[in-house]
Amino acid sequence: MTIAEAIAQMEGYNKPGTLAQRNNNPGNLRFAGQAGAIGKDSRGFAIFSTPEEGWAALNNQISLDAGRGLTLTQFLNKYAPSSENDTSNYINFVSSQTGIGPNDLISNFHRG
């Protein structure tokens, strides 16, 4: 499983009716003017017109942070902060699903 696929699973993307599914936003990315985003919902999450655009935005975000030299833990502390998530659980889940160690650089595993 890729980092993006693990994030999407964690965000509930594959479950009908979830926020991620309704917004075509598998990573529940906050709106930041991403390519393909057509706006934001009332909570500030980006809305994409197609699932493909949402996947592209998620992979782009992972690529940006991979380029910054972040480890999986550093990336997920930024991506899924404890103010909104159980970040330790998030890190453990993504690590177990991808085989990437918490202290491994994501750039060694993500090929945007």
Side-chain angles (χ1 to χ4, degrees), residues 3 7 61-80 87 90-92 94-95 98-110:
I3 297 170
I7 288 172
Q61 184 60 57
I62 297 167
S63 293
L64 287 171
D65 287 321
R68 294 178 176 127
L70 299 184
T71 64
L72 184 66
T73 295
Q74 290 168 327
F75 168 64
L76 291 174
N77 276 317
K78 176 181 171 283
Y79 186 88
T87 307
Y90 213 114
I91 293 165
N92 290 334
V94 173
S95 179
T98 62
I100 302 170
N103 297 313
D104 290 342
L105 295 173
I106 60 173
S107 60
N108 292 336
F109 300 91
H110 180 73

Side-chain angles (χ1 to χ4, degrees), residues 26-51:
N28 274 338
L29 296 165
R30 295 278 181 190
F31 178 76
Q34 298 94 330
I38 57 172
K40 61 184 174 180
D41 67 13
S42 62
R43 296 178 51 199
F45 292 102
I47 300 169
F48 295 93
S49 56
T50 67

